[in-house]
Amino acid sequence: MIKRELWLNHKDEEISEVNEDGLAKQPKLPIRKKMFWAIYSLILLLTLIVDTLVFVTYKYDIESQIAQFGNQTIKESGINISRNILSKEENLTYKIGECNLFTEEAQRNVYSENSKEMKTLVALISNSGFQVTLCYLKRTNGSEEFWTNGSITISEFRNSDINSVLQSESENLNLNRGIAIWRRMEDMPESVYIIKNIIDDVTIEKQAVLCIQIDNTFFKSLQNTENMSVLIHDEKGNVLYYSDELEPVIDEILMGRNSDFITMNTKITKKNWSMTGLISKQQVLDTLHRLLLIMGMIEVIFCIISFWIAKYVSENMTSNISALIESMRQLEQGSQADMIQAKTTDETAYLVEVFNHLNQKLQETIELLTVNRTQKERAEYNALIAQLNPHFLYNALESVSAMAKLNQQGEIVEAVDNLAKLLRVCLSGNEAEITLDKEFDYIRQYLSLERLITGGHIDWDIECEEKLYCCRVPKLILQPLVENSIVHGFDTCMEEAMIVIMVRTDKDNLVIEVSDNGAGMSQKYADEIIAGEEVKKSEHDRRHIGIKSIQQRITYLYGEQYGVQIQAQEEAGTTVKLTMPVIKE
């Protein structure tokens, strides 16, 4: 206990100075954690950079290869479509010549629907690979031929968009004699129309205009590209055909607002069409995403491994520092720090060696100071006991002298008896502690003497539970307090003087309060007495000497957490409270 108090007293002085400068604050983040997060963050950062470079490079490479392959594919597909279209148109010319649509009898009919000749023409065209749903022929003499599979009537046809095109582009059709024109109309988006002038082979004169409606699946049969969607524009830039999978986003694509596709363009030169191939980036990057998934799983495993590597490295590099901190905490708590065994041979090993040397010197110094302080405390305690006995004897003899002046022999006898009992308590035994009941017997004898001296003006009351009578307290601990109350509290007025001694327990502490209704003192003066400052109200004011002696005795016996407190107010009495541990007989 004494060694711990000596060490803590020495440290408190140093730490208080360090705290004022802000140097003893606990670090918010230990060096081991700083090193761990530095290493781990560096590993994660490098991993992130490498992954980003791999992703960007691989993505660019894939897109470049896909674009290169797509351009080659779309060009070949454009050539193939151009050849097939021209072949179909040439075959269509032959098929028209094989039917009898331009006989004199046929040309005399103003309007004919589903005629034998038209059925023959539709059959021949269908055998060429066209899925015909409507066929319309208008001769130069104004006669008309019409065939349909039942999906539309002639009146509906005349009101359709394609009939408006036939009327508006008649001149254009004359200029493109014998060349087929392909159109797609918004009112029938699932179909494509083929418009062709029929020319007489002999006179090279226009005989009629033929309009054929076919299903747009025709272009699907010509499309030989896998994983690629196709968009075809006619010579006027209007949409002629697009793949079904483009239906949800066709408007965005036409307005140039969709960037989810890799696009390739080519020309169908014979028809002056343009064809665009579109490959979904999501589809193209599926392979990259699978690669990223595999890389992500690898990175998770790598991060876990990196975590333990960083933890091991940081702990290994700071092991000596951690051992130093733990030993310093032991010293801070007042314990004896063990010698540290250096775990690494770097610069911190020198710190460990210096700490072990200083720790050994410190322990030797504490041992020497402990021995010296113990001897000093014993000497001071014996001096305090010796100081009380002559002081008390002087007061008692002074009381006997005063009683003799009264010439009352009976009271003198009583006073001498009480004095003898008191001297017997003071001078008997060498023990430093006695029980509360013995201390009360002594204080009652003392108060009886004081009552005789003052002519019966002093009264007292002792309140204590019977179970506390066996508690041990320092010998003669109450007499200086009672004497202070009588000498200094009642020195100006003895009328109705009252001293109350109360004993109670507070948790594991024994509390004794000595109160009087005397003159009292200011609280500031009382605090100065407890602090041990050299203060005096007058030449005869020695109360702070007795209080200081009691404080030292309690501290020496039980520790610095116990001691004396004073509650005082001028003209309102004084209460002195003693706090000690509960130690029973």
Side-chain angles (χ1 to χ4, degrees):
M1 175 67 72
I2 295 175
K3 288 172 63 180
R4 174 180 172 82
E5 293 172 0
L6 179 63
W7 167 244
L8 288 178
N9 288 341
H10 177 68
K11 279 195 65 62
D12 287 342
E13 296 177 358
E14 294 182 352
I15 290 178
S16 62
E17 295 177 0
V18 173
N19 284 340
E20 290 175 359
D21 295 335
L23 300 177
K25 293 181 179 179
Q26 188 72 13
K28 293 183 178 180
L29 192 63
I31 187 173
R32 175 178 295 179
K33 291 185 177 180
K34 288 182 179 179
M35 187 171 296
F36 166 79
W37 285 114
I39 297 173
Y40 194 55
S41 300
L42 180 60
I43 294 175
L44 293 181
L45 180 61
L46 292 176
T47 303
L48 180 61
I49 293 175
V50 171
D51 289 348
T52 303
L53 291 176
V54 170
F55 176 79
V56 173
T57 303
Y58 193 66
K59 179 182 178 182
Y60 177 77
D61 184 61
I62 287 180
E63 290 182 349
S64 299
Q65 291 183 7
I66 290 296
Q68 183 179 0
F69 173 77
N71 284 324
Q72 182 179 356
T73 303
I74 198 68
K75 288 180 180 179
E76 293 178 355
S77 180
I79 295 173
N80 181 59
I81 290 176
S82 179
R83 290 175 179 174
N84 276 276
I85 291 293
L86 292 177
S87 176
K88 297 295 183 183
E89 290 181 354
E90 184 179 356
N91 190 37
L92 176 62
T93 302
Y94 293 144
K95 299 300 180 184
I96 294 173
E98 293 178 5
C99 62
N100 297 319
L101 288 172
F102 297 98
T103 63
E104 292 182 3
E105 181 180 357
Q107 294 186 52
R108 285 197 296 266
N109 296 326
V110 177
Y111 172 76
S112 177
E113 185 172 335
N114 294 331
S115 64
K116 178 180 178 181
E117 290 79 9
M118 286 294 289
K119 290 181 179 179
T120 302
L121 177 61
V122 170
L124 293 174
I125 295 174
S126 297
N127 290 334
S128 299
F130 293 120
Q131 186 177 349
V132 182
T133 58
L134 179 149
C135 187
Y136 173 78
L137 177 70
K138 185 175 181 179
R139 301 181 183 87
T140 56
N141 63 359
S143 62
E144 297 176 296
E145 294 279 349
F146 182 73
W147 177 91
T148 180
N149 62 356
S151 61
I152 189 172
T153 64
I154 185 61
S155 60
E156 291 175 341
F157 174 77
R158 287 171 177 168
N159 293 325
S160 65
D161 294 341
I162 189 62
N163 190 52
S164 300
V165 173
L166 290 175
Q167 300 298 328
S168 63
E169 294 195 3
S170 59
E171 295 182 1
N172 184 48
L173 295 176
N174 288 328
L175 293 175
N176 296 279
R177 300 173 65 86
I179 297 176
I181 297 175
W182 299 62
R183 291 290 183 267
R184 173 180 174 273
M185 297 292 110
E186 292 297 332
D187 58 344
M188 296 290 289
E190 69 280 359
S191 302
V192 177
Y193 296 92
I194 303 175
I195 304 171
K196 180 177 175 60
N197 284 335
I198 300 175
I199 308 299
D200 190 315
D201 293 337
V202 178
T203 62
I204 316 299
E205 293 292 334
K206 176 181 175 181
Q207 290 182 300
V209 175
L210 179 66
C211 178
I212 304 172
Q213 183 187 49
I214 63 173
D215 193 271
N216 62 6
T217 55
F218 166 75
F219 286 99
K220 289 184 180 180
S221 64
L222 299 180
Q223 182 180 343
N224 60 354
T225 55
E226 296 182 0
N227 300 324
M228 179 186 293
S229 302
V230 173
L231 174 63
I232 300 177
H233 291 82
D234 60 21
E235 71 277 4
K236 290 188 175 183
N238 298 319
V239 175
L240 183 63
Y241 165 79
Y242 57 83
S243 302
D244 295 339
E245 56 269 17
L246 297 179
E247 178 66 31
V249 294
I250 186 62
D251 293 335
E252 295 181 3
I253 293 174
L254 295 176
M255 297 178 67
R257 294 186 302 185
N258 193 299
S259 59
D260 296 333
F261 295 89
I262 301 174
T263 60
M264 290 74 62
N265 299 297
T266 189
K267 286 287 185 179
I268 302 177
T269 55
K270 298 296 183 180
K271 300 296 295 180
N272 200 22
W273 293 349
S274 63
M275 184 169 69
T276 302
L278 300 99
I279 300 177
S280 173
K281 291 183 179 179
Q282 181 65 35
Q283 183 180 1
V284 171
L285 296 179
D286 280 344
T287 304
L288 179 60
H289 292 160
R290 287 194 294 269
L291 175 63
L292 290 178
L293 179 61
I294 297 174
M295 289 180 62
M297 297 174 62
I298 296 175
E299 295 304 334
V300 170
I301 298 174
F302 180 72
C303 289
I304 295 175
I305 297 174
S306 300
F307 175 87
W308 291 108
I309 292 175
K311 187 174 184 296
Y312 172 77
V313 172
S314 61
E315 289 180 352
N316 185 64
M317 295 181 67
T318 60
S319 57
N320 288 342
I321 297 177
S322 299
L324 284 170
I325 293 174
E326 183 62 28
S327 297
M328 289 180 180
R329 285 176 179 169
Q330 292 178 358
L331 292 176
E332 185 178 12
Q333 295 172 0
S335 304
Q336 182 175 353
D338 299 328
M339 302 296 289
I340 303 175
Q341 183 67 35
K343 297 181 180 180
T344 59
T345 57
D346 51 21
E347 291 85 348
T348 57
Y350 173 73
L351 298 177
V352 171
E353 182 180 353
V354 173
F355 175 83
N356 288 335
H357 177 73
L358 295 178
N359 184 36
Q360 183 178 0
K361 291 292 184 181
L362 178 62
Q363 297 303 325
E364 293 175 355
T365 303
I366 291 176
E367 292 291 341
L368 179 61
L369 291 176
T370 300
V371 173
N372 295 338
R373 182 167 180 175
T374 301
Q375 294 176 352
K376 179 181 178 181
E377 289 175 355
R378 288 178 180 174
E380 290 178 350
Y381 182 76
N382 293 332
L384 286 172
I385 296 298
Q387 179 185 9
L388 289 174
N389 292 336
H391 175 62
F392 172 73
L393 181 60
Y394 173 79
N395 290 338
L397 292 177
E398 188 176 47
S399 298
V400 172
S401 175
M403 292 297 296
K405 294 178 182 178
L406 299 175
N407 292 323
Q408 298 292 333
Q409 296 180 358
E411 293 178 350
I412 293 175
V413 172
E414 183 180 356
V416 171
D417 289 340
N418 288 334
L419 178 59
K421 293 177 181 179
L422 293 177
L423 289 175
R424 189 177 299 111
V425 174
C426 292
L427 300 176
S428 63
N430 295 323
E431 57 184 357
E433 297 175 314
I434 59 175
T435 58
L436 264 177
D437 57 345
K438 293 181 180 179
E439 183 70 14
F440 289 156
D441 288 341
Y442 164 75
I443 206 63
R444 290 190 186 98
Q445 298 298 331
Y446 178 77
L447 287 170
S448 296
L449 275 175
E450 291 292 352
R451 174 180 283 177
L452 290 174
I453 295 172
T454 60
H457 291 292
I458 296 178
D459 200 0
W460 67 87
D461 183 25
I462 299 177
E463 298 181 9
C464 178
E465 296 182 12
E466 186 175 352
K467 64 180 180 180
L468 300 178
Y469 282 169
C470 60
C471 293
R472 298 181 65 81
V473 296
K475 185 178 179 182
L476 304 179
I477 198 69
L478 298 178
Q479 185 272 335
L481 304 181
V482 174
E483 180 186 5
N484 281 341
S485 295
I486 296 173
V487 174
H488 304 292
F490 307 127
D491 57 350
T492 58
C493 180
M494 281 291 181
E495 296 295 334
E496 299 181 358
M498 183 68 181
I499 297 176
V500 178
I501 301 175
M502 296 181 62
V503 182
R504 58 184 174 85
T505 56
D506 182 9
K507 296 182 180 179
D508 295 331
N509 295 332
L510 181 69
V511 179
I512 303 176
E513 295 181 349
V514 179
S515 305
D516 63 65
N517 60 347
M521 69 183 82
S522 66
Q523 187 63 46
K524 178 181 178 182
Y525 183 73
D527 295 338
E528 291 175 350
I529 294 175
I530 294 297
E533 299 180 10
E534 295 296 328
V535 294
K536 285 188 179 182
K537 281 187 176 180
S538 65
E539 186 178 350
H540 301 289
D541 193 349
R542 298 174 288 104
R543 80 182 71 186
H544 65 289
I545 298 178
I547 295 294
K548 186 175 181 180
S549 299
I550 294 173
Q551 174 75 31
Q552 291 177 347
R553 291 174 63 190
I554 293 176
T555 300
Y556 293 159
L557 289 174
Y558 309 121
E560 293 185 355
Q561 65 270 37
Y562 303 102
V564 182
Q565 293 179 340
I566 300 178
Q567 298 175 353
Q569 187 176 356
E570 293 184 357
E571 305 301 333
T574 304
T575 297
V576 181
K577 183 170 71 173
L578 308 181
T579 304
M580 295 169 285
V582 177
I583 303 175
K584 295 188 176 182
E585 186 82 287

